[in-house]
Amino acid sequence: MRIVGLTGGIASGKSTVSNLFKSHDIPVVDADVVAREALKKGSGGWKKVVAAFGEEILLENGEVNRTRLGQIVFADPDKRQFLNRLLAPYISSGIFWEVVKLWSKGYKVIVLDVPLLFEAKIDKFTKPIIVVWVDPETQIQRLLTRDKSSEEDGRNRVNAQMPLDAKKSKADIVIDNTGSLDDLNEQFQKVLVRVTGPLAWYEFWRSRQGVSIILASLTSGVVLCMRAFNNNNS
């Protein structure tokens, strides 16, 4: 099984690339979706976050006001790191079980869409690693246009993340998204060919098919040993 790491920064276009993978029938495990599940009302993550940040972060229906929580943590690095530590076990567990589900269905290639791929040390479980990159000013302008937020809030959000240049230096594949959507699509097609190529031997053996072959071989070996043992004793 090939587990592809996909990351980027806020407003870099990572979600667009993620959707392109989905449109080509490549399953994507989205860490943001997993995080939303971890924050659902009544969940373990919800209880810890409410206990830490107070009921002021809740909407009238009891769900977490993600916008309000984001404003709090993006303005304070210590609170942001504290929130990440609170939710990390729930998000990691959620991602793991999503991968297991896809493995059990026989998928040979999946994509992990994780904004904090490097920060959470999940990169060591993925290969290749794809970083969707844009220059800082393009990133800020796209964020302000998309969210209609203040420039101060936008810069706080961008500065709260690992710089895209740092992520770029750790990538196996870099998608430069400073151009048009057509430019992005052209790059993606090349990436798709690489990602969906033949599995390496270690990727094959951890796929469902590979594990099935190993189990079948072990079972056959045990049966042959038992027959040989029985023949020697008869």
Side-chain angles (χ1 to χ4, degrees), residues 27 71 102-103 144-145 148 171 186 228:
Q71 290 172 341
L102 293 170
W103 176 88
L144 298 183
T145 300
K148 309 299 182 184
E186 184 177 344

Side-chain angles (χ1 to χ4, degrees), residues 154-228:
R155 291 193 180 278
N156 283 341
R157 286 175 174 267
V158 170
N159 293 335
Q161 299 181 334
M162 178 187 291
L164 280 175
D165 282 342
K167 292 185 178 185
K168 181 180 179 180
S169 68
K170 296 174 179 287
D172 299 303
I173 301 171
V174 176
I175 296 179
D176 184 340
N177 192 28
T178 54
S180 66
L181 186 57
D182 286 340
D183 292 334
L184 178 63
N185 278 317
E186 184 177 344
Q187 292 180 74
F188 175 78
Q189 293 303 320
K190 296 177 181 178
V191 171
L192 185 64
V193 170
R194 178 171 173 182
V195 166
T196 57
L199 298 184
W201 64 267
Y202 64 89
E203 294 172 323
F204 174 78
W205 290 121
R206 70 186 183 193
S207 69
R208 190 182 70 171
Q209 183 181 359
V211 172
S212 297
I213 291 174
I214 292 173
L215 291 176
S217 299
L218 289 173
T219 301
S220 298
V222 170
V223 170
L224 290 173
C225 287
M226 291 178 65
R227 285 179 178 174

Side-chain angles (χ1 to χ4, degrees), residues 4-192:
V4 179
L6 173 64
T7 192
I10 189 170
S12 68
K14 176 181 62 63
S15 295
T16 301
V17 174
S18 181
N19 288 331
L20 285 171
F21 275 114
K22 294 174 187 176
S23 70
H24 286 79
D25 298 322
I26 306 293
V28 176
V29 177
D30 190 331
D32 284 339
V33 173
V34 174
R36 282 196 287 272
E37 289 295 317
L39 272 178
K40 273 194 171 181
K41 182 181 178 180
S43 67
W46 180 89
K47 292 174 182 177
K48 287 198 171 186
V49 170
V50 173
F53 291 92
E55 294 188 358
E56 66 181 74
I57 64 166
L58 298 178
L59 297 167
E60 290 183 3
N61 63 4
E63 296 288 354
V64 171
N65 184 333
R66 293 171 61 85
T67 300
R68 175 58 184 148
L69 180 60
Q71 290 172 341
I72 293 171
V73 299
F74 281 116
D76 187 326
D78 291 335
K79 290 181 179 179
R80 184 175 68 257
Q81 291 176 12
F82 180 52
L83 176 65
N84 288 339
R85 287 197 299 271
L86 286 179
L87 292 179
Y90 301 99
I91 295 174
S92 297
S93 175
I95 290 173
F96 172 78
W97 286 113
E98 288 299 317
V99 171
V100 169
K101 289 177 188 176
L102 293 170
W103 176 88
S104 68
K105 292 178 180 178
Y107 286 103
K108 294 181 179 179
V109 178
I110 67 170
V111 174
L112 295 190
D113 178 350
V114 186
L116 301 180
L117 186 76
F118 297 112
E119 297 91 328
K121 311 299 182 185
I122 298 176
D123 58 300
K124 59 187 176 182
F125 301 111
T126 64
K127 190 75 175 179
I129 295 170
I130 302 170
V131 170
V132 183
W133 178 90
V134 292
D135 63 85
E137 282 309 309
T138 298
Q139 187 180 15
I140 288 288
Q141 291 307 314
R142 287 181 179 174
L143 177 61
L144 298 183
T145 300
R146 187 191 74 183
D147 293 354
K148 309 299 182 184
S149 57
S150 68
E151 184 168 348
E152 180 183 3
D153 183 53
R155 291 193 180 278
N156 283 341
R157 286 175 174 267
V158 170
N159 293 335
Q161 299 181 334
M162 178 187 291
L164 280 175
D165 282 342
K167 292 185 178 185
K168 181 180 179 180
S169 68
K170 296 174 179 287
D172 299 303
I173 301 171
V174 176
I175 296 179
D176 184 340
N177 192 28
T178 54
S180 66
L181 186 57
D182 286 340
D183 292 334
L184 178 63
N185 278 317
E186 184 177 344
Q187 292 180 74
F188 175 78
Q189 293 303 320
K190 296 177 181 178
V191 171
L192 185 64

